[in-house]
């Protein structure tokens, strides 16, 4: 029987406590575990290597992404770093030219110190990807839709091309969450998440997730997770489990509101970046690989001054870094998520001075539209 995602969200996060019958997974505040047999140790020995509470949440994300193994880290960047540190001296990665600012910094400023190099490529152009493959290339790294311009990459076609060339495919699925998109089913080998965003969903913790398609890739990620040790603490793992139960209802409603808001901005003559709009160049591809356009859109108000005025006038959203929370979050990527990029790189990635990113929360969509409308008035 194949369970629907609605059922999976509940079943995968409800693992009855073995001793008490507690319906919610107990938080096991223990860094170390007694071994009753001198020769053969039990399932848990030391919490960096594995804690029972974290393990339940790790199984849950693996199940939701339909993968073999799941791993949780203290942040999304810890998750991404740990995956990319499975590569080594001399290895080369092909990376979508639109990636999260922190991933960009890691690739440019940290990994080259270990001899791990990369090329940024326009992933909407398959022949550009093919032409950039070198004999040292080991993996392609996709982020779709990308942060903050919501550029879409074709996971299926890129994965096919990558596998023909014996490359591993890594996909950052933060913007969609496993409820809206499952990269492993489309051909990716490893999924990474900033679980800080939709998986946690309440802007109250940071976390990162990795799910691998195979046990072998899982073993490689586990080795780095345990060696570097940027693991998720048990309280946050428990909060994450609790949040995942409502992922479906949250993101479905947030995405429906985002669709309405994107259509409204477009009708008002603004340049909107949202993969749920038929005018978006990635619309057809996105529709073939995800359930909806998701809860995040960006809008170009034309100038930094216009963006500032809008932010100063809005009353409902918070103005802050991050996305995926129950509250609507407006952010200014050039100074927030993508502050790492030079002016030239910002321009090349379409991150214009008037660009605002909106992560739509659970408020009423009409209230948000009224608020945005008054903020746009002179
Ligand atoms: C936020 C984000 C990250 C980084 O995650 P943290 O939890 O902030 O470390 C990575 N990728 C994407 C797409 C993000 O939005």
């Amino acid at each position: 029987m194949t369970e629907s995602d609605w059922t999976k969200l509940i079943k995968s996060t409800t693992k009855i406590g073995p001793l008490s019958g507690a319906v919610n997974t107990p938080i096991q505040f223990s860094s170390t575990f007694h071994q009753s047999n001198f020769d053969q140790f039990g399932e848990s020995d030391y919490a960096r290597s594995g804690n029972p509470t974290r393990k339940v949440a790790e199984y849950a994300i693996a199940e939701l992404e339909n993968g073999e193994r799941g791993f949780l880290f203290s942040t999304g960047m810890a998750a991404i770093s740990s995956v990319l540190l499975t590569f080594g001296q001399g290895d080369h990665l092909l990376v979508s030219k639109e990636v999260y600012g922190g991933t960009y910094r890691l690739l440019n400023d940290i990994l080259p110190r270990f001899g791990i190099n990369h090329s940024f490529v326009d992933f909407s152009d398959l022949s550009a990807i093919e032409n950039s493959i070198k004999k040292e290339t080991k993996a392609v790294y996709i982020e779709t839709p990308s942060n903050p311009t919501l550029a879409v990459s074709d996971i299926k076609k890129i994965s096919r091309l990558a596998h023909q060339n014996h490359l591993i495919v890594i996909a950052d699925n933060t913007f969609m969450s496993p409820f809206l998109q499952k990269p492993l089913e489309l051909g990716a080998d490893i999924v990474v998440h900033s679980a800080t965003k939709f998986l946690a969903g309440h802007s109250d913790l940071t976390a990162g997730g990795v799910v691998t398609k195979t046990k072998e890739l899982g073993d490689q990620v586990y080795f780095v997770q345990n060696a570097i040790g940027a693991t998720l603490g048990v309280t946050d793992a428990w909060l994450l489990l609790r949040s995942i139960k409502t992922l479906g209802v949250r993101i479905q409603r947030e995405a429906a509101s985002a669709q309405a808001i994107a259509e409204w901005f477009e009708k008002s003559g603004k340049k909107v970046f949202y993969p749920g709009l038929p005018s978006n160049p990635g619309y057809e591809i996105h529709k073939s690989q995800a359930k909806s356009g998701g809860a995040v859109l960006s809008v170009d108000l034309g100038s930094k001054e216009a963006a500032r005025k809008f932010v100063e006038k809005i009353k409902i959203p918070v103005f802050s870094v991050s996305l995926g929370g129950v509250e609507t979050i407006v952010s200014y990527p050039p100074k927030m998520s993508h502050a790492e990029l030079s002016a030239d790189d910002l321009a090349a990635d379409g991150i214009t001075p008037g660009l605002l990113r909106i992560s739509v929360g659970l408020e009423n969509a009409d209230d948000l539209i009224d608020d945005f409308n008054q903020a746009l008035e002179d």
Side-chain angles (χ1 to χ4, degrees):
M1 189 184 85
T2 57
E3 278 176 354
S4 120
D5 278 347
W6 291 104
T7 306
K8 262 193 191 172
L9 286 173
I10 304 303
K11 295 298 282 178
S12 69
T13 54
T14 308
K15 299 291 179 215
I16 311 296
L19 297 180
S20 62
V23 166
N24 289 302
T25 298
I27 302 183
Q28 309 254 2
F29 282 116
S30 207
S31 57
T32 186
F33 298 84
H34 174 65
Q35 305 303 324
S36 45
N37 184 316
F38 185 89
D39 295 307
Q40 200 147 33
F41 291 172
E43 197 184 325
S44 301
D45 55 21
Y46 185 60
R48 169 160 40 76
S49 315
N51 174 289
T53 310
R54 191 178 88 221
K55 268 187 201 159
V56 172
E58 293 184 321
Y59 287 134
I61 61 160
E63 206 164 318
L64 294 174
E65 288 285 6
N66 267 341
E68 192 63 38
R69 304 271 312 266
F71 304 94
L72 285 168
F73 298 83
S74 53
T75 64
M77 284 320 304
I80 293 168
S81 305
S82 298
V83 166
L84 296 184
L85 284 171
T86 61
F87 300 101
Q89 188 70 37
D91 289 346
H92 174 257
L93 314 170
L94 286 178
V95 182
S96 160
K97 74 179 174 66
E98 288 107 349
V99 280
Y100 174 70
T103 309
Y104 176 91
R105 173 170 50 196
L106 174 71
L107 288 161
N108 277 329
D109 301 336
I110 306 284
L111 294 178
R113 295 184 201 167
F114 302 96
I116 303 166
N117 292 303
H118 66 276
S119 308
F120 286 120
V121 184
D122 177 358
F123 271 23
S124 65
D125 182 353
L126 281 178
S127 58
I129 301 179
E130 190 157 20
N131 293 334
S132 307
I133 299 172
K134 310 184 196 187
K135 71 175 186 330
E136 304 80 29
T137 307
K138 292 284 158 53
V140 298
Y141 186 100
I142 303 172
E143 184 179 310
T144 185
S146 70
N147 186 354
T149 53
L150 289 297
V152 174
S153 300
D154 190 326
I155 302 175
K156 234 183 218 169
K157 286 201 178 135
I158 294 172
S159 298
R160 199 176 306 140
L161 173 66
H163 291 154
Q164 282 162 0
N165 290 279
H166 311 290
L167 311 180
I168 288 171
V169 179
I170 304 162
D172 184 332
N173 200 28
T174 298
F175 268 43
M176 285 292 107
S177 89
F179 194 76
L180 297 183
Q181 177 171 277
K182 293 199 193 328
L184 299 183
E185 290 181 357
L186 297 161
D189 303 291
I190 299 179
V191 169
V192 295
H193 273 284
S194 171
T196 310
K197 315 292 171 54
F198 289 101
L199 289 169
H202 296 72
S203 305
D204 54 3
L205 61 90
T206 62
V210 175
V211 178
T212 63
K213 188 184 236 161
T214 64
K215 183 185 168 303
E216 291 67 32
L217 285 171
D219 289 344
Q220 292 177 33
V221 173
Y222 177 72
F223 184 78
V224 179
Q225 183 194 39
N226 187 42
I228 291 190
T231 55
L232 189 64
V234 287
T235 313
D236 288 347
W238 188 91
L239 280 168
L240 187 60
L241 276 171
R242 173 155 133 166
S243 297
I244 289 172
K245 294 174 199 287
T246 58
L247 172 66
V249 283
R250 282 187 284 109
I251 203 163
Q252 193 175 57
R253 178 182 160 92
E254 289 162 352
S257 298
Q259 178 76 35
I261 291 167
E263 287 169 8
W264 177 81
F265 270 118
E266 189 167 60
K267 259 195 224 116
S268 336
K270 300 288 179 254
K271 183 161 176 44
V272 186
F273 301 84
Y274 183 67
L277 288 177
S279 59
N280 188 292
Y283 175 76
E284 290 297 337
I285 294 168
H286 185 75
K287 204 171 138 187
S288 73
Q289 63 192 15
K291 278 193 205 138
S292 79
V296 183
L297 61 133
S298 290
V299 55
D300 189 347
L301 297 184
S303 68
K304 185 175 177 182
E305 258 326 294
R308 179 200 312 264
K309 186 182 138 240
F310 182 84
V311 166
E312 285 172 354
K313 287 183 86 174
I314 48 175
K315 296 193 173 76
I316 298 175
V318 298
F319 177 56
S320 70
V321 173
S322 201
L323 56 106
V326 292
E327 64 289 303
T328 295
I329 301 174
V330 170
S331 37
Y332 187 57
K335 286 207 176 300
M336 291 178 167
S337 55
H338 291 69
E340 305 313 319
L341 276 67
S342 68
D344 285 351
D345 286 344
L346 285 172
D349 287 356
I351 307 175
T352 48
L355 195 76
L356 289 172
R357 192 185 68 202
I358 303 173
S359 168
V360 179
L362 293 176
E363 305 92 338
N364 180 283
D366 291 334
D367 290 349
L368 287 165
I369 289 173
D370 286 348
D371 191 25
F372 295 155
N373 193 34
Q374 67 79 24
L376 288 178
E377 278 164 8
D378 285 324

